[in-house]
Amino acid sequence: MEREPVIETRELTKRYRGGQLAVDGLSLTVPEGAVFGFLGPNGSGKTTTIRMLMGLIEPTSGAARVLGRPMPRATRAVLPQVGALIEGPALYGFLNGRDNLIRYDSADPAADPRTRKARVSDALDRVGLTAAAGKKAKAYSLGMKQRLGLAAALLQPRRLLVLDEPTNGLDPQGMREIRTLVRELAADGTTVFLSSHLLDEIEQVCTHAAVMAQGRLLTQGPVAELAAGTRGRLTVTTPDPADAARVLKEHGITVLDLTGDLVTAEPPPAGTDLADLNTALVTAGVRVRGFGVERASLEDAFVALTGEGFDVAG
């Protein structure tokens, strides 16, 4: 028997009072045990979707089910099983990191006070904040605040973890640590729903992904399949890049970039024989040191879907 999706939406729509359509007919399926990347440029409707899934705002139309229950109707039954970090954590600046978590944990009616200290210590340890636990939260950097918010979401075992841009403000080392933590959580059986505008983040950590743009869903599925449907870029390594670019253009190929001795171009049209193209370069006197079509990345898939570039670096 197939297991019920952890998150499922049908034609989920949110129209704001001014008539602006923030989310337009979204149908998402997040399988159990997935690390699901919810990808789109800032302003594409990701946070609005998450707020509807968490019961924070009502959809204009359509339906959402989380852990098999309708939202927002079943909010009180569902949310205790969900850890969430949305739009940055709400912290008490005058309290230190550990006391912030103690306060969060005390507010949870299901939390056993006898094991509170151990739970808080464990959560701090998981996000790498043990050494800074005694420091006031107002003195925390943005990255440390993100980690503390994540620790709050991890105080209890959760079936689902919802993270809105979890690596915002983190340095590369912090980003790596959060990615490792997400993988560990998934290995423990937690489904992770992660929104991001960073393509490489999704590619490195997610098993499944959905791509949003301007409130609409463009595609969803296993990450490996999303890129597989797209043809990768043509690369030519040569000490004669300008000549190589000219020959490629003569053969109807769009050149994207010349950097040093590397020429990057759109993939050749279907049916083009790569050997013939290589021969044409050599015949024109281009010294070819490397030639081939790279595997398509999620970035290539996104550009192919939307016809536009994407904020890949953040």
Side-chain angles (χ1 to χ4, degrees), residues 155-201:
L155 285 166
Q156 295 282 358
R158 312 285 185 181
R159 279 184 62 195
L160 170 64
L161 195 56
V162 176
L163 307 175
D164 191 12
E165 301 277 358
T167 58
N168 248 2
L170 291 177
D171 59 10
Q173 173 63 23
M175 285 174 139
R176 278 194 295 276
E177 287 169 11
I178 297 295
R179 284 175 191 153
T180 303
L181 178 62
V182 165
R183 288 190 196 102
E184 285 169 6
L185 290 164
D188 292 344
T190 303
T191 303
V192 182
F193 184 82
L194 163 87
S195 93
S196 181
H197 65 284
L198 305 176
L199 279 155
D200 57 346
E201 178 158 86

Side-chain angles (χ1 to χ4, degrees), residues 128-146:
L129 273 184
T130 303
K135 199 171 166 181
K136 286 200 170 158
K138 67 177 176 218
Y140 276 18
S141 67
L142 180 58
M144 288 164 78
K145 286 176 179 166
Q146 283 292 92

Side-chain angles (χ1 to χ4, degrees), residues 56-132:
L56 295 169
I57 54 174
E58 291 258 2
T60 307
S61 61
R65 294 178 77 79
V66 177
L67 303 178
R69 307 285 294 273
M71 292 297 276
R73 211 166 63 234
T75 301
R76 291 175 71 171
V78 168
L79 290 191
Q81 302 174 72
V82 179
L85 177 58
I86 303 173
E87 292 183 320
L91 302 173
Y92 298 99
F94 60 92
L95 293 179
N96 67 29
R98 177 173 273 105
D99 288 341
N100 260 287
L101 292 189
I102 286 170
R103 189 167 276 210
Y104 268 108
D105 199 71
S106 309
D108 183 349
D112 183 346
R114 292 167 300 184
T115 49
R116 182 160 292 143
K117 274 193 169 151
R119 243 192 332 276
V120 166
S121 292
D122 184 46
L124 286 165
D125 189 44
R126 290 196 86 167
V127 299
L129 273 184
T130 303

